[in-house]
Amino acid sequence: YENDTLPVVKQKQKSAFPPNYVHSIDSSHMMLTALECKQRGLAFAGVHDSFWTHAGTVPIMNEVLRDKFVELHSELLLETLHASLEEDFPAIRGQLPPPPPRGDLDLNLVKQSPYFFS
């Protein structure tokens, strides 16, 4: 790029990281959903957080969306990110606050939520 000589603006990097991380989790959910739809023979299309299928297979895709959400968010995402950052960037080891403790929300409740995804 032409701007490779410009300095890195640390504050912009810091403020961009959280939304980019969340977007990566959203895109992981989309990928898991798309792969499962393919496995089940469902048509799938998506852009950002909009997922489409044929009208006749919407109920199946709704089930897949919820299952893949629960599967993804049952992982220790923040704990894994924290460990990865400390391993990849030894200079900051011990300087990052630990991830917040996990709450007691039962993620499986989204499987019964009519407005989880629309």
Side-chain angles (χ1 to χ4, degrees):
Y1 292 104
E2 296 175 20
N3 296 331
D4 280 349
T5 59
L6 295 176
V8 172
V9 180
K10 290 181 182 180
Q11 187 54 45
K12 285 188 177 185
Q13 294 291 313
K14 288 179 183 179
S15 65
F17 185 83
N20 286 332
Y21 178 71
V22 170
H23 182 68
S24 76
I25 300 301
D26 290 344
S27 64
S28 296
H29 178 229
M30 179 181 276
M31 181 60 71
L32 291 169
T33 300
L35 291 170
E36 183 65 21
C37 284
K38 181 178 181 180
Q39 180 78 19
R40 294 187 186 202
L42 274 64
F44 178 89
V47 174
H48 297 290
D49 59 355
S50 296
F51 300 8
W52 305 292
T53 192
H54 296 295
T57 57
V58 166
I60 299 168
M61 189 174 82
N62 276 331
E63 177 187 322
V64 170
L65 280 168
R66 287 159 173 79
D67 289 346
K68 293 304 167 182
F69 180 88
V70 170
E71 178 184 315
L72 176 62
H73 290 280
S74 293
E75 298 293 324
L76 301 174
L77 299 174
L78 290 178
E79 293 83 352
T80 301
L81 173 64
H82 184 269
S84 177
L85 289 172
E86 288 205 332
E87 181 178 326
D88 293 345
F89 303 100
I92 64 168
R93 192 171 291 138
Q95 296 178 32
L96 292 175
R102 292 178 68 89
D104 59 359
L105 175 68
D106 180 1
L107 286 175
N108 287 297
L109 292 174
V110 303
K111 294 181 180 183
Q112 285 83 44
S113 173
Y115 303 110
F116 166 73
F117 207 91
S118 59

